[in-house]
Amino acid sequence: MKDPESATFDLACKALDAFQIEIPSWGFANTGTRFGKFVQAAAASTIEEKFADAAEVNRLTGVTPTLALHVLWDLPNGLADAPEVKELEQRFGIRSGSINPNLFQDQEYKFGSLCNPAQAIRQQALRHMLDSIEIGKALGSRDISLWLADGSNYPGTQSIRKRIGWLQDALSVCHEHLAPDQRLLIEYKPFEPAFYHTDIADWGMSSHLARHAGPQARVLVDTGHHYTAQNIEQIVAWLLHTGMLGGFHFNDRRYADDDLTLGSIDPYQIFRIFHEIHAAAGDGLALDIAYMIDQSHNLKGKVEAMVQTVVTAQELYLKAALVDRERLAVHQQSCDLVAAEELFRGAFWRDVRPLTRAWREARGLPADPLAALAASGYVERAARERGSRSAAVSSYA
Ligand code: RM4
Ligand code: MN
Ligand code: MN
């Protein structure tokens, strides 16, 4: 018989070994708000520097082998840039992750991209989607993550239903071009940049569009893309139940799409989401979920914020993995509310840091990734090497 401590450690190892998370190239760049940017000397401004930063995060945490790319910011020449990216993959030991088309920065997209009333502009947007799919094929990256900024600002100024039709048509064409192992992930967001209606405003719309597009399309849940009171774990449970959950963009927020670091405002929310996932896995549901971070680090140091986020994600994932689900099911069945809640909350309050630390040591990783980052001098070196250039400010405001 194993003692309970080592049984818990075995469980923890199983959970942590199975958990990887993708980091975004734009999280290393100088981003900001629409009011301005506070430029950091160590911020990455080239794709090479983003790969270097990603490799450092992976060296410290061991669980971030892929880097999400934003086509316009990272492959400005489209497919022609793929060989350079492949070379960087080799050099830094980091693979390209999800490909994020950019349908929100060109001037043509003032009134929409895939939903623009002008056919020529819809075509241009579709071409960009198809180029992004080809980039994914060239780089061997599986997921195309579509966030559509389309919408309108004033009632009556656009036909909401016509735009649904255009969107359905475009996504069907995209789906036809996917390789058999590629997926189309469809993100939703209730508002911003459009303030009256957003063409893909919630998970129901994403689900519908994904189903309509074809079997390789799924919903992408960005935790920042919900109204404040919304029960995100319930949405996740529904997407799990219906087989439509493709992945997450993790971040935290106090108000809207604040893109703050994961778990900084409401770690219990992320715990509850992970609980739904562990419960579904425990019930034998087939899951294929891409965990991705989508954050912009405006004030925190970029690499530091990313490492902190990865570590937080692991801790919350592990807390939820350690919920005694058998016992919880008994309490749920007998409607023993306080016992169920105490068990659930107890798992959330459990300090799993000794377990994550022991797991890291067992895997030959730094026991404390943030301390190891500080000790490495990586950020200071990057600031010295990168800071002298006139800071090219890429990415979005
Ligand atoms: C959007 C959305 C997208 C992300 C951009 C930068 O709000 O979350 O996923 O790529 O921001
Ligand atoms: Mn997102
Ligand atoms: Mn967002």
Side-chain angles (χ1 to χ4, degrees):
M1 262 299 271
K2 282 182 179 167
D3 65 79
E5 230 169 89
S6 77
T8 304
F9 184 60
D10 288 351
L11 267 180
C13 286
K14 218 175 131 210
L16 293 171
D17 284 342
F19 184 74
Q20 296 196 326
I21 191 160
E22 183 165 305
I23 52 182
S25 70
W26 53 100
F28 297 117
N30 273 317
T31 50
T33 69
R34 64 199 166 100
F35 300 106
K37 289 171 180 148
F38 298 106
V39 174
Q40 296 183 21
S45 53
T46 64
I47 178 76
E48 181 180 350
E49 290 169 356
K50 292 171 186 174
F51 265 89
D53 289 354
E56 179 64 5
V57 174
N58 195 38
R59 183 184 74 79
L60 294 163
T61 65
V63 295
T64 62
T66 58
L67 180 67
L69 301 174
H70 234 291
V71 174
L72 207 63
W73 306 331
D74 297 326
L75 297 107
N77 306 305
L79 201 53
D81 286 334
E84 186 196 339
V85 172
K86 281 206 92 70
E87 194 267 319
L88 293 172
E89 288 183 340
Q90 289 295 321
R91 178 137 59 98
F92 290 103
I94 292 290
R95 280 176 288 118
S96 300
S98 60
I99 302 299
N100 293 250
N102 189 309
L103 297 174
F104 51 93
Q105 277 188 319
D106 287 353
Q107 290 300 312
E108 287 86 341
Y109 297 147
K110 182 171 179 182
F111 301 118
S113 59
L114 296 174
C115 302
N116 195 299
Q119 200 200 359
I121 296 175
R122 293 202 301 277
Q123 280 300 328
Q124 177 185 334
L126 180 59
R127 264 198 310 279
H128 180 73
M129 284 298 295
L130 299 182
D131 286 349
S132 302
I133 293 170
E134 292 312 311
I135 290 170
K137 288 178 190 164
L139 295 175
S141 69
R142 181 171 73 143
D143 291 336
I144 307 292
S145 300
L146 170 65
W147 171 61
L148 196 74
D150 289 23
S152 68
N153 269 2
Y154 298 99
T157 60
Q158 284 294 297
S159 163
I160 294 173
R161 279 191 307 109
K162 265 190 197 163
R163 293 170 72 107
I164 298 172
W166 291 325
L167 194 46
Q168 287 186 164
D169 292 349
L171 296 183
S172 297
V173 176
C174 292
H175 197 281
E176 278 164 23
H177 284 77
L178 294 175
D181 59 340
Q182 275 185 309
R183 304 193 305 174
L184 176 64
L185 304 184
I186 305 176
E187 202 168 339
Y188 56 90
K189 184 171 176 177
F191 67 91
E192 193 200 41
F195 291 115
Y196 165 62
H197 105 281
T198 293
D199 284 298
I200 313 177
D202 67 24
W203 68 282
M205 301 176 200
S206 283
S207 265
H208 166 81
L209 290 165
R211 279 222 175 77
H212 185 273
Q216 289 163 239
R218 295 279 184 285
V219 176
L220 174 54
V221 178
D222 184 314
T223 47
H225 292 191
H226 300 88
Y227 293 113
T228 308
Q230 218 159 357
N231 182 337
I232 304 176
E233 65 269 26
Q234 185 183 15
I235 294 172
V236 170
W238 271 83
L239 291 173
L240 286 163
H241 181 77
T242 54
M244 294 307 289
L245 182 61
F248 288 94
H249 270 179
F250 281 130
N251 50 62
D252 213 337
R253 60 90 200 273
R254 179 65 187 88
Y255 297 101
D257 191 22
D258 307 349
D259 281 349
L260 300 177
T261 52
L262 181 76
S264 57
I265 305 287
D266 187 1
Y268 196 34
Q269 167 71 88
I270 306 300
F271 167 83
R272 297 190 308 258
I273 289 174
F274 281 141
H275 168 69
E276 288 304 328
I277 292 168
H278 289 303
D283 291 342
L285 267 64
L287 308 183
D288 190 356
I289 304 169
Y291 297 113
M292 301 176 274
I293 295 168
D294 180 5
Q295 289 174 182
S296 97
H297 308 120
N298 187 19
L299 303 180
K300 286 180 175 174
K302 319 279 177 191
V303 177
E304 200 184 7
M306 201 71 86
V307 170
Q308 185 190 32
T309 300
V310 173
V311 167
T312 305
Q314 287 179 300
E315 288 166 2
L316 294 167
Y317 185 81
L318 179 54
K319 281 171 190 272
L322 296 179
V323 168
D324 183 343
R325 283 186 298 276
E326 258 174 51
R327 204 146 64 83
L328 184 64
V330 173
H331 294 323
Q332 289 177 343
Q333 193 59 36
S334 57
C335 296
D336 196 342
L337 307 189
V338 173
E341 189 188 10
E342 286 305 304
L343 187 158
F344 194 65
R345 275 179 358 117
F348 174 66
W349 287 115
R350 177 181 199 151
D351 185 2
V352 294
R353 287 173 299 182
L355 287 168
T356 51
R357 196 184 174 92
W359 174 80
R360 289 194 178 99
E361 278 166 347
R363 299 291 176 267
L365 294 162
D368 180 344
L370 273 176
L373 173 65
S376 74
Y378 178 87
V379 175
E380 292 73 12
R381 237 179 358 262
R384 272 198 308 277
E385 286 165 12
R386 301 172 184 178
S388 51
R389 286 180 322 237
S390 63
V393 179
S394 64
S395 197
Y396 66 106

